[in-house]
Amino acid sequence: MPLIKRACLFLMLVAMLIPRIAAAAENMPGMAHRLREADMDSGIIKGQVIQKDKSPLRNGSVLLYIKSLGPPPSVDEYLRIPNIIESTDKEGRFSIKVPEGTYFVSALKWAPKSKDVGPPRDGDPIFDLLDDKGQNKEVTVKNGSVVNVGVLPQSGIFSGKSQKFSSGITAVEGIITDSEEKPVEGAIVLAAFQNHLVFASYMTGKDGKFQLRTNDGGEYSLTVTSRYGGGQPSPGDLLIVPEEGADQTRILLKKGERTKGINLKIKKIIVPTPTGSGAMLDGKMKAPPLPIYQNR
């Protein structure tokens, strides 16, 4: 067969196969996902969260931590703030578009849209992606790639009694009070290091006392919030607003030591009606101090 005829036949065959290849990709979830969502400016981390009883974690929270911005998550020693948070579906599956980089992956029971989202509570299941040695597994994503981490299994049950101080763990302790000097319940202290939110405390109780742990010393900026999961406030939500001139409290922590006696003063506001990106406070429009890491 002449070369020109062979070339024409090849081109005709390719033209016939292209629609079939595209159709096959659409019928293959993994391939279709790669074609539709992965691009040259981001990658995708996907997987499934499975509970101890083998059932999927429906509408839970998948938490991603950028390795370069802090240590691996460790609920026993400190509570690191996730850099990206996204929900699982009814089958416990997740697919999250992320910038190129290396991540740690974990999950919690509460979904980002739930009012109950926040640090784990006693009895809550904990899910961590671990390696063969039981350490947090690193997940590296390149632009244009899809990384399937597989099943994220339940790694334990949270208990406040399991929190511990090991070598190198640093802490700041104190109390959160309102403008009437009363303790504030349901507040969370966030700590930023070099302009990045890194650590959080657990929610305060009726006594308003907090304890925030880190893995290292240094200068941190402390802020207070009432909604760990971010998002817009709803009618009836409690907003925690720093007093004028006290947006942040800077504190120098020494590695391996507890800094005690820190008093954080705030205002408490109940949201009457939704008003765009903020709430009407003292007759002026102000945005609530919510965490900024939620994936959108």
Side-chain angles (χ1 to χ4, degrees), residues 41-70:
D41 296 324
S42 65
I44 292 173
I45 295 177
K46 61 187 301 184
Q48 184 180 27
V49 185
I50 298 296
Q51 301 184 88
K52 191 174 183 179
D53 62 1
K54 306 302 181 182
S55 65
L57 180 68
R58 299 178 178 179
N59 300 318
S61 292
V62 178
L63 314 176
L64 302 183
Y65 307 84
I66 299 175
K67 179 185 176 183
S68 62
L69 297 182

Side-chain angles (χ1 to χ4, degrees), residues 111-185:
K113 295 181 180 179
S114 170
K115 288 186 177 181
D116 293 313
V117 67
R121 306 172 182 177
D122 283 350
D124 278 359
I126 298 174
F127 306 84
D128 292 298
L129 185 65
L130 305 176
D131 59 22
D132 295 338
K133 297 181 180 180
Q135 303 297 315
N136 291 89
K137 187 175 182 178
E138 298 180 6
V139 178
T140 299
V141 182
K142 299 292 185 181
N143 287 337
S145 69
V146 177
V147 179
N148 191 338
V149 300
V151 171
L152 192 64
Q154 183 173 331
S155 55
I157 296 291
F158 178 75
S159 171
K161 296 180 181 179
S162 68
Q163 299 176 46
K164 60 187 178 182
F165 278 93
S166 62
S167 178
I169 297 299
T170 309
V172 54
E173 302 175 357
I175 185 171
I176 301 173
T177 58
D178 60 22
S179 55
E180 298 179 352
E181 301 294 335
K182 295 181 179 179
V184 177
E185 182 179 6

Side-chain angles (χ1 to χ4, degrees), residues 128-262:
D128 292 298
L129 185 65
L130 305 176
D131 59 22
D132 295 338
K133 297 181 180 180
Q135 303 297 315
N136 291 89
K137 187 175 182 178
E138 298 180 6
V139 178
T140 299
V141 182
K142 299 292 185 181
N143 287 337
S145 69
V146 177
V147 179
N148 191 338
V149 300
V151 171
L152 192 64
Q154 183 173 331
S155 55
I157 296 291
F158 178 75
S159 171
K161 296 180 181 179
S162 68
Q163 299 176 46
K164 60 187 178 182
F165 278 93
S166 62
S167 178
I169 297 299
T170 309
V172 54
E173 302 175 357
I175 185 171
I176 301 173
T177 58
D178 60 22
S179 55
E180 298 179 352
E181 301 294 335
K182 295 181 179 179
V184 177
E185 182 179 6
I188 302 169
V189 179
L190 308 179
F193 183 73
Q194 295 181 348
N195 297 321
H196 293 288
L197 288 172
V198 184
F199 299 101
S201 71
Y202 294 99
M203 286 187 176
T204 57
K206 293 182 179 180
D207 58 6
K209 293 182 179 180
F210 74 90
Q211 181 189 84
L212 185 147
R213 305 180 183 197
T214 75
N215 73 318
D216 203 353
E219 184 179 70
Y220 292 85
S221 297
L222 307 182
T223 58
V224 183
T225 183
S226 61
R227 297 189 63 180
Y228 184 80
Q232 298 300 327
S234 302
D237 279 352
L238 172 66
L239 296 184
I240 293 181
V241 182
E243 288 192 330
E244 294 297 332
D247 290 350
Q248 296 180 338
T249 298
R250 295 187 179 276
I251 186 169
L252 183 62
L253 302 182
K254 294 183 179 181
K255 186 173 182 178
E257 296 184 10
R258 301 189 194 191
T259 299
K260 301 181 180 181
I262 302 301

